[in-house]
Amino acid sequence: MRFTARVEVRLRAGIADPEGATIERALPALGFGDVEGVRAGKLFRFSVEADDPATAAARAGELAHRLLANPVIEESSVEVEHEEPEGR
Amino acid sequence: MRFTARVEVRLRAGIADPEGATIERALPALGFGDVEGVRAGKLFRFSVEADDPATAAARAGELAHRLLANPVIEESSVEVEHEEPEGR
């Protein structure tokens, strides 16, 4: 069965986020004074072939840990969903 | 009330994704032959001050459209959630 996996990669709390800080600095001048605490992260989507959702999630987590996130400064979370046979 | 907004920014279908393609090329050699179709995107989280969830979502969507995504090649989606008063 094919599963669609979504991996979110976020900087750990306390790790400096220059991209988020730069966006946040621009906000008041652009009329977004109601927005604060901007944190930037990454999102990966891919398709995994596995027998069941638990195996697909484990494979996606392994990939996230080995390739997509730097575990020293980033944390990741994984969601998997069964792909519809006829595509979406 | 404060809301936590999550904005996902994804490349539109058909737009070349060099980051995803590079990851995908590395996968077979790393033992991830069961993974394909890697697409890389961005994820932003921030806090919005608004009277209700609909207003918060509208503000987050405006910010996504004006600052976070390039609407020519990217699409974005927004989710908002009420922030717990005592932090989480």
Side-chain angles (χ1 to χ4, degrees):
Chain A
M1 285 189 284
R2 291 216 76 87
F3 295 87
T4 300
R6 276 166 48 97
V7 173
E8 284 187 23
V9 177
R10 297 172 300 275
L11 286 166
R12 291 186 186 280
I15 301 289
D17 179 355
E19 185 177 0
T22 302
I23 294 168
E24 198 165 336
R25 232 170 10 243
L27 294 177
L30 290 160
F32 289 99
D34 49 351
V35 173
E36 61 176 40
V38 182
R39 300 285 284 175
K42 286 186 171 187
L43 178 70
F44 298 93
R45 283 167 194 269
F46 48 87
S47 172
V48 193
E49 179 71 36
D51 291 337
D52 54 76
T55 310
R59 288 293 284 165
E62 201 185 327
L63 177 55
H65 193 79
R66 284 186 52 195
L67 258 179
L68 304 178
N70 173 352
V72 177
I73 57 166
E74 291 171 329
E75 57 189 8
S76 58
S77 60
V78 170
E79 276 171 39
V80 294
E81 193 177 279
H82 188 216
E83 251 171 59
E84 299 305 320
E86 284 305 288
R88 295 189 299 174
Chain B
M1 282 189 285
R2 291 216 77 87
F3 295 87
T4 300
R6 276 167 46 99
V7 173
E8 282 187 25
V9 177
R10 297 173 301 273
L11 287 165
R12 291 187 187 278
I15 301 288
D17 179 354
E19 185 177 359
T22 302
I23 294 169
E24 199 166 335
R25 234 171 9 243
L27 294 178
L30 290 160
F32 289 99
D34 49 351
V35 173
E36 62 177 37
V38 182
R39 300 286 282 175
K42 285 186 173 189
L43 178 71
F44 297 93
R45 283 168 194 270
F46 48 86
S47 172
V48 193
E49 179 71 38
D51 291 336
D52 55 75
T55 310
R59 288 294 284 164
E62 202 185 326
L63 177 55
H65 193 79
R66 284 186 53 194
L67 258 179
L68 304 178
N70 173 352
V72 177
I73 57 165
E74 291 170 328
E75 58 189 8
S76 57
S77 60
V78 171
E79 276 171 39
V80 293
E81 193 177 278
H82 187 217
E83 251 171 58
E84 299 305 324
E86 284 304 289
R88 296 190 299 176

